[in-house]
Amino acid sequence: MEVNSLSVIVAGSGGAGAISTGSLLLEAAGLSGWYAYMTRSVGAQIRGGEAAAQLRVSCGPAASHEDHFHILLALDWKNVGRFAAEMPLTQDSLIIGDPEQGDVPPEIAASGAQQALLPMKQMCQAIAGGRPNMVAMGALAGLLSLPRQVVDAVLEKQFGHKGEKVLAASRAAVNAGLDAVCSLPEMPRLARPRRSAETRWILTGNQATGLGALRGGVRFVAGYPITPATEVLEWMAPALDKVGGTLVQAEDELAAINQIIGASYGGTPSLTATAGPGLSLMTESIGLAVASETPIVVVDVMRGGPSTGIPAKSEQADLNIALYGLHGDAPHLVLAPNSVPDCLFATQWAVHLAESLQTVALVLSDQALGQARSVVDKPADSIFPTRRLTAAASAVDKYQRYALTDTGISPMAIPGTPGCQYTADGLEHNEASLPSSLAADHQQQLDKRERKLALHDYGVSWADVEGEGDIAIITWGSCTGAAREAARRWRDEGRSLRLISLRLLAPVQPEKLASALSGVWRALVVEQTHSGQFQRYLRAHYTLPAQLECLNRPGPLPIRSNEILARLAKWK
């Protein structure tokens, strides 16, 4: 049987090579002409424990996993059972294990999937320097029909610099796995990839976020490492150096946020990346940036919460703190990418908006997007007319930093501009930036900060609106992948459906959503939170179809397309 998509899991204890095996397979699939999408899952301890690479190889772009996995290959069974809920299997699936590693855990065997043995450890005994995960890679490459020469090229790229012995051992182990495929049960064959003139990239969401920031003009980054946002900082450190920028690892999140406020105050577009606990620490200073109208970008790669929660698993539950977490009335921007390549666009757009509107832009990515590695068509180049309105010395007579303008945007003086000195702090102020507790000044400045966000034309980028029909899915962030696939499958059956994925979460765009929902009488909200935060936000600020339902669940289990289809099917 030939299929357009095959999904596999490589699992094992931390350090056994499950994640690296999945990454090599993804790269080989991409070089062979297929698309691929890989997420990774590790335990709450971050280091050690269990690890799994979840890989989907397909003939078309993929932004989510299928309803179930075709193959589970376990390098060992140490704590892999903890992943049972994250890797749905069916009776048509195949479980491959090493007989020396013990029996299949009962919670995984309960799926009824057929089982096969692959003595990976024993096979390596005849290969000097051979490793079981390379045998696994060979076996999976065979089951996925990846060309042997492409797999060899990937090995050369990965291990060539480590010397001929390491490369030869990897090749021998992979070849042993390839040769062993004939001993495994037959699986569906992946259809050959379609020829395409499109240039493809392999990247993670966190890498795309970093690239979007650079393209937007960010030249200073300060951050404190935190899972799952650290890769944004790791990618940007050398990239910034190439364009004359700087990255500072701060002593904590409070230092990081204040450093980027200082750098931006000095005229340099600036960014920090963090996760939920770090965002909590930053909120007071984010309010300072709002009050002082200092443009900054804060990327929050969400993980399971509250508190330190589940650091390496995904969730969308930082929505409320991103929207409402600042004290006082503090209007700011909240944006959310909805795919790996969209991490690039959304972040670049966020930098543009922050600079143009002299405000804070929060970018809500999440672990599922940030740490997903994907083969994608090269993202389109986006050009924004990014411009910070600055004060020129020659044009200044009586400089007023917070002058009341029709747009709400007033010229921002770069320190050292003659004649443009002003007091900058977190106190309320008047137009001349002098601290003020007068009711009139407070009212005027509150109106100013709100007006500049409300009056801006955000164009068509506020959301992705796809399809037609009188029913709709409304979603955001990483849930968009599963929703998009559900919509495609729904339409493939001859039925109509509208998909609306919001990219601009704040400020609200009631007229645009009303237009997108025109003719829709029933809508399903899809989100990965326990309390339905997104649905509640929509109900508070938008006019929605009378019949509105919500499919919501907390992390770490992703919402899959078959669940969405099941909810839609009940409407028939």
Side-chain angles (χ1 to χ4, degrees):
M1 182 175 67
E2 192 173 84
V3 295
N4 289 320
S5 177
L6 269 178
S7 295
V8 303
I9 301 173
V10 190
S13 54
I19 304 296
S20 58
T21 301
S23 296
L24 292 172
L25 287 168
L26 178 138
E27 191 159 341
L31 289 174
S32 302
W34 282 288
Y35 292 89
Y37 171 79
M38 189 189 91
T39 57
R40 63 187 194 187
S41 185
V42 299
Q45 66 289 334
I46 301 179
R47 289 185 176 181
E50 63 277 17
Q54 302 167 333
L55 177 69
R56 178 181 185 181
V57 181
S58 61
C59 296
S64 65
H65 287 300
E66 295 183 270
D67 300 335
H68 69 276
F69 291 90
H70 296 90
I71 303 168
L72 163 61
L73 189 152
L75 299 168
D76 58 64
W77 293 112
K78 295 176 183 174
N79 297 320
V80 173
R82 295 178 184 174
F83 286 141
E86 296 182 45
M87 40 194 189
L89 303 170
T90 71
Q91 294 182 344
D92 295 327
S93 303
L94 173 64
I95 300 171
I96 304 173
D98 190 326
E100 289 193 29
Q101 300 294 340
D103 296 329
V104 178
E107 57 269 43
I108 294 175
S111 65
Q114 58 180 328
Q115 299 182 21
L117 299 177
L118 184 66
M120 292 171 276
K121 191 172 181 180
Q122 182 184 27
M123 292 165 71
C124 286
Q125 291 176 353
I127 303 170
R131 288 168 293 147
N133 72 314
M134 289 295 97
V135 176
M137 180 180 171
L140 292 172
L143 292 169
L144 291 168
S145 305
L146 302 181
R148 191 180 290 246
Q149 65 273 22
V150 173
V151 175
D152 193 62
V154 171
L155 294 177
E156 173 79 32
K157 178 183 175 184
Q158 181 68 22
F159 300 111
H161 69 284
K162 294 186 177 181
E164 184 55 35
K165 285 186 177 179
V166 173
L167 179 60
S170 297
R171 280 175 171 158
V174 167
N175 286 333
L178 280 164
D179 294 339
V181 170
C182 59
S183 66
L184 299 173
E186 188 173 346
M187 294 298 294
R189 291 188 62 82
L190 189 62
R192 299 304 305 169
R194 291 183 287 272
R195 290 182 178 273
S196 173
E198 296 286 340
T199 300
R200 293 182 188 166
W201 284 7
I202 298 177
L203 76 171
T204 69
N206 280 340
Q207 292 170 339
T209 296
L211 180 57
L214 282 188
R215 287 187 173 182
V218 167
R219 292 297 181 266
F220 180 78
V221 173
Y224 186 73
I226 184 171
T227 302
T230 303
E231 291 95 335
V232 176
L233 307 174
E234 291 177 336
W235 188 89
M236 293 199 75
L240 276 167
D241 190 52
K242 293 176 183 175
V243 296
T246 301
L247 183 143
V248 173
Q249 178 173 322
E251 59 266 41
D252 55 32
E253 286 86 351
L254 281 75
I257 186 69
N258 286 302
Q259 287 175 6
I260 69 166
I261 292 172
S264 181
Y265 175 69
T268 302
S270 302
L271 172 147
T272 188
T274 188
L279 181 64
S280 299
L281 294 171
M282 293 178 179
T283 53
E284 180 181 357
S285 291
I286 292 174
L288 168 63
V290 171
S292 63
E293 301 192 46
T294 305
I296 58 169
V297 176
V298 179
V299 177
D300 176 21
V301 187
M302 294 179 287
R303 63 191 206 180
S307 189
T308 44
I310 312 178
K313 310 278 187 180
S314 199
E315 199 168 67
Q316 294 181 311
D318 291 352
L319 178 63
N320 277 348
I321 190 176
L323 293 169
Y324 305 116
L326 307 185
H327 61 271
D329 287 311
H332 58 284
L333 302 162
V334 181
L335 299 90
N338 60 28
S339 69
V340 168
D342 195 46
C343 289
L344 194 164
F345 174 83
T347 308
Q348 185 177 351
W349 191 36
V351 178
H352 160 68
L353 292 176
E355 289 291 316
S356 301
L357 298 174
Q358 297 179 25
T359 191
V360 172
L362 270 171
V363 179
L364 286 182
S365 179
D366 61 35
Q367 186 271 339
L369 282 179
Q371 295 191 322
R373 193 160 183 249
S374 187
V375 179
V376 300
D377 291 328
K378 178 184 175 182
D381 292 334
S382 300
I383 299 175
F384 296 105
T386 302
R387 186 175 70 91
R388 185 187 301 189
L389 184 60
T390 56
S394 60
V396 172
D397 182 13
K398 294 181 180 178
Y399 177 61
Q400 291 189 315
R401 166 66 184 100
Y402 301 109
L404 301 177
T405 63
D406 291 340
T407 63
I409 303 168
S410 46
M412 180 178 180
I414 305 302
T417 305
C420 294
Q421 296 87 348
Y422 69 99
T423 301
D425 59 28
L427 292 169
E428 188 56 283
H429 41 255
N430 60 19
E431 292 184 76
S433 77
L434 295 175
S436 172
S437 59
L438 297 178
D441 288 333
H442 188 42
Q443 180 73 49
Q444 288 175 341
Q445 293 300 319
L446 287 171
D447 290 344
K448 174 185 189 298
R449 293 191 287 265
E450 182 186 46
R451 185 166 66 249
K452 64 181 181 180
L453 269 61
L455 292 180
H456 186 77
D457 181 4
Y458 298 92
V460 298
S461 299
W462 71 281
D464 284 346
V465 182
E466 303 166 2
E468 298 293 339
D470 57 5
I471 63 173
I473 298 172
I474 308 175
T475 190
W476 70 288
S478 60
C479 285
T480 303
R484 189 169 274 148
E485 178 147 337
R488 177 188 61 76
R489 291 166 61 181
W490 184 264
R491 297 185 193 113
D492 286 347
E493 296 178 1
R495 296 173 288 190
S496 59
L497 176 69
R498 204 171 303 183
L499 172 67
I500 303 170
S501 174
L502 272 66
R503 184 177 292 108
L504 181 66
L505 302 178
V508 292
Q509 305 291 303
E511 292 182 359
K512 290 180 176 176
L513 185 59
S515 176
L517 286 171
S518 177
V520 171
W521 65 277
R522 197 165 193 175
L524 177 66
V525 177
V526 179
E527 60 175 307
Q528 195 181 29
T529 71
H530 181 261
S531 59
Q533 294 181 22
F534 185 52
Q535 178 206 199
R536 294 171 187 269
Y537 180 65
L538 293 174
R539 286 186 183 277
H541 296 282
Y542 289 101
T543 299
L544 300 168
Q547 298 191 44
L548 188 76
E549 296 183 19
C550 186
L551 172 57
N552 61 299
R553 183 173 62 228
L557 298 182
I559 294 175
R560 297 182 185 276
S561 58
N562 62 338
E563 297 175 82
I564 300 172
L565 286 170
R567 290 293 293 269
L568 295 176
K570 290 182 179 179
W571 292 356
K572 288 191 296 185

